[in-house]
């Protein structure tokens, strides 16, 4: 298949369709902006509460809760570094001169999504390890006592 001007223009058009700086219809963008502001506020309040509560209560200092605090910190970073730039780009009428912000938004979305997935994977592995080894430890203790 030969590369013609029409093929190249279609490829360029498809490549820009998935830009984080894509503009939406006015009614849709206002609803999304309002939703993002609510999500930002709830995310900051909820995840800050998790971090504060776990840090203040000694009985909550467990390995599992450390993973949950880690996930809360990741989500806080996401809320503080990804949502405000996205709100700025979405609320402005033009994207010109702000391409670096578009790249930053895309990078931060991917980075924090990967970090959240990693944290969930670590919690799952830790829980699997605890559940599988708890029965063995109890049976070993009973055998030693006998």
């Amino acid at each position: 298949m030969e590369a013609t001007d029409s093929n190249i223009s279609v490829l360029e058009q498809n490549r820009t369709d998935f830009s984080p700086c894509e503009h939406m219809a006015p009614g849709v963008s206002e609803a999304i902006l309002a939703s993002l502001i609510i999500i930002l506020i709830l995310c900051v309040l909820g995840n800050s509460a998790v971090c504060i509560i776990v840090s203040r209560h000694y009985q909550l200092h467990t390995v599992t809760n450390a993973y949950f605090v880690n996930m809360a910190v990741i989500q806080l970073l996401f809320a503080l570094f990804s949502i405000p730039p996205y709100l700025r780009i979405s609320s402005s009428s033009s994207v010109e001169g702000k391409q670096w912000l578009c790249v930053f938004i895309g990078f931060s979305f991917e980075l924090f999504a990967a970090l959240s997935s990693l944290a969930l994977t670590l919690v799952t592995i830790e829980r699997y390890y605890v559940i599988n080894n708890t029965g063995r430890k109890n049976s070993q203790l009973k055998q030693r006592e006998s």
Side-chain angles (χ1 to χ4, degrees), residues 38-139:
I38 292 170
I39 289 169
L40 175 66
I41 292 168
L42 292 176
C43 185
V44 169
L45 291 176
N47 289 310
S48 297
V50 168
C51 294
I52 290 169
I53 290 169
V54 170
S55 69
R56 287 190 179 173
H57 297 284
Y58 181 74
Q59 64 270 24
L60 295 176
H61 291 189
T62 63
V63 174
T64 304
N65 286 341
Y67 288 123
F68 290 136
V69 169
N70 183 21
M71 286 174 36
V73 169
I74 291 168
Q75 291 175 356
L76 269 172
L77 291 173
F78 172 76
L80 296 174
F81 288 114
S82 296
I83 295 176
Y86 188 81
L87 290 172
R88 173 138 165 73
I89 288 287
S90 296
S91 63
S92 67
S93 59
S94 71
V95 186
E96 277 141 58
K98 300 176 187 170
Q99 249 351 75
W100 67 273
L101 197 53
C102 294
V103 171
F104 176 75
I105 291 169
F107 172 74
S108 63
F109 273 39
E110 294 293 327
L111 174 70
F112 293 123
L115 289 175
S116 293
S117 297
L118 178 63
L120 284 171
T121 303
L122 292 175
V123 168
T124 304
I125 292 170
E126 189 264 341
R127 289 286 86 202
Y128 176 80
Y129 178 77
V130 168
I131 289 169
N132 281 339
N133 290 328
T134 302
R136 290 181 191 160
K137 287 183 181 180
N138 289 340
S139 65

